[in-house]
Amino acid sequence: MSEAVKKNNLSAGARAIAVAPRLFVLELNAGRIHSMNTDGSDRKTIVSDCHLPDGIVVDAEAGHIYWTNMGIPSLDDGTIERADIDGKNRKTIVPQGKTHTPKQIILDKKGGKLYWCDREGMRVMRCNLDGSQLETLIEAGRGEVDRRDQTRWCVGLTIDPKSGHIYWTQKGPDNAGLGRIFRANVEIPAGQTAATRSDIEIFYDGLPEPIDLELDVKNRILYWTDRGDPPRGNTVNRASIDNKPAEPEIVVTHLMEGIGIALDIPNDRMFVTDFAGSIYSARLDGSGERNFLFAQGNLTGIAYAEI
């Protein structure tokens, strides 16, 4: 058999492997990770005994999930763990004492890095996929006095690989209208530090309580959940990052403390969790919204992957 024929047969075989779209959802109060179809069917609990899990990301290619455990803020006992997609071979990669209250986590597959926000640590951090080379990229505060100022708490984040920017939220106190979304270069400018860097800009301020972020890289649109009170809170919002409108567009309303968001751009849909235990799906413009699971405990992070 010629090499060309072999190659064709191999690629045909690869094409024949079915990919299954799955959602991975964190249940905070019960400390569990669930995997399910995108309509909520075939739900399986794949990890138990998590310590207040908040953010999750899937590396489908490597067959791994990564998630953050916030822990108890006063104890500074947050961690980051990794497991296989079925929940086996669980391993702590960022141990207690290295990150305070880790929240949303994202994967830069090309750069081989994990990025996350550390709420009471008031930091944006990153490390290698095995937990090594831990770095602080943004330091919004330090020490007990700063920690009491919730406007310094870093919660959600995303990266724009095209421009080399990182976006993150600092939510502020409950319903205070002091929530902000920031933007900066991923890398700290030469000669500066995480605490003194001069390239940080406010993308939006005066928001109710912005939580998790997701970026539609192709269409250059930033999406985020916002807790806070209606009409602007308990929503999903979006805005162009290149032609930023004066006010973000609200595309989904009536969430009950919205937290996690995951985008499936090719299929024009988003998935959102809220603290009341609902999972919603909708088109990217917010139409066709459907609450397909409810009363599922306190739900936090959500990830979409084709595995």
Side-chain angles (χ1 to χ4, degrees):
M1 191 184 292
S2 75
E3 284 304 311
V5 171
K6 268 189 200 166
K7 218 173 250 180
N8 281 339
N9 285 348
L10 279 170
S11 57
R15 283 196 301 272
I17 297 169
V19 293
R22 299 286 287 183
L23 295 175
F24 295 79
V25 180
L26 300 177
E27 186 185 356
L28 178 81
N29 54 314
R32 297 188 294 193
I33 303 176
H34 306 286
S35 168
M36 64 189 75
N37 290 330
T38 55
D39 62 358
S41 63
D42 189 36
R43 175 175 162 174
K44 301 167 183 171
T45 300
I46 56 171
V47 180
S48 300
D49 300 316
C50 301
H51 192 29
L52 300 172
D54 186 84
I56 184 165
V57 69
V58 181
D59 183 351
E61 190 185 347
H64 288 142
I65 55 173
Y66 297 88
W67 71 95
T68 60
N69 296 298
M70 288 187 295
I72 297 164
S74 60
L75 300 181
D76 187 9
D77 61 352
T79 60
I80 297 177
E81 294 188 71
R82 182 188 77 203
D84 295 342
I85 276 179
D86 60 5
K88 293 177 179 155
N89 297 313
R90 182 175 175 181
K91 181 184 180 186
T92 299
I93 60 167
V94 178
Q96 291 182 6
K98 298 292 186 182
T99 183
H100 198 294
T101 327
K103 297 283 285 176
Q104 188 178 12
I105 187 167
I106 59 173
L107 169 69
D108 170 17
K109 181 70 174 174
K110 193 175 174 187
K113 297 283 185 182
L114 295 165
Y115 291 76
W116 67 95
C117 274
D118 182 350
R119 189 178 65 190
E120 275 90 344
M122 301 168 286
R123 296 174 289 193
V124 176
M125 305 182 75
R126 75 176 172 192
C127 68
N128 293 333
L129 301 187
D130 62 358
S132 62
Q133 210 177 323
L134 190 67
E135 297 173 88
T136 296
L137 300 176
I138 312 283
E139 187 173 86
R142 184 183 289 190
E144 285 304 319
V145 174
D146 283 353
R147 193 167 289 125
R148 288 194 285 273
D149 177 2
Q150 293 183 32
T151 64
R152 298 177 184 270
W153 288 7
C154 303
V155 179
L157 80 168
T158 192
I159 284 178
D160 174 15
K162 184 179 174 186
S163 66
H165 284 140
I166 191 164
Y167 292 77
W168 72 97
T169 63
Q170 291 177 209
K171 81 175 191 73
D174 293 353
N175 305 315
L178 298 176
R180 293 170 291 174
I181 298 175
F182 292 88
R183 172 168 65 191
N185 295 314
V186 173
E187 303 301 336
I188 299 173
Q192 298 181 21
T193 70
T196 65
R197 56 188 298 170
S198 59
D199 62 333
I200 296 172
E201 58 179 308
I202 295 174
F203 188 67
Y204 278 113
D205 62 3
L207 301 176
E209 271 183 89
I211 306 293
D212 282 2
L213 294 171
E214 281 284 302
L215 182 62
D216 174 352
V217 176
K218 182 181 165 207
N219 298 302
R220 320 285 298 147
I221 297 173
L222 185 69
Y223 290 76
W224 66 93
T225 52
D226 207 310
R227 287 174 80 168
D229 281 340
R232 293 174 67 221
N234 276 315
T235 53
V236 175
N237 304 259
R238 69 177 181 178
S240 165
I241 58 173
D242 296 331
N243 302 291
K244 189 188 88 166
E247 292 289 330
E249 179 189 5
I250 295 173
V251 292
V252 174
T253 58
H254 299 100
L255 303 176
M256 296 290 286
E257 310 251 15
I259 306 284
I261 181 168
L263 304 181
D264 171 18
I265 306 300
N267 292 305
D268 183 30
R269 57 184 177 173
M270 69 173 87
F271 300 93
V272 180
T273 58
D274 70 18
F275 217 54
S278 290
I279 308 178
Y280 304 83
S281 63
R283 294 188 189 93
L284 294 175
D285 65 2
S287 64
E289 180 193 336
R290 195 164 72 87
N291 179 349
F292 62 85
L293 275 183
F294 53 91
Q296 301 295 310
N298 300 134
L299 301 184
T300 50
I302 186 169
Y304 170 85
E306 295 176 356
I307 60 172

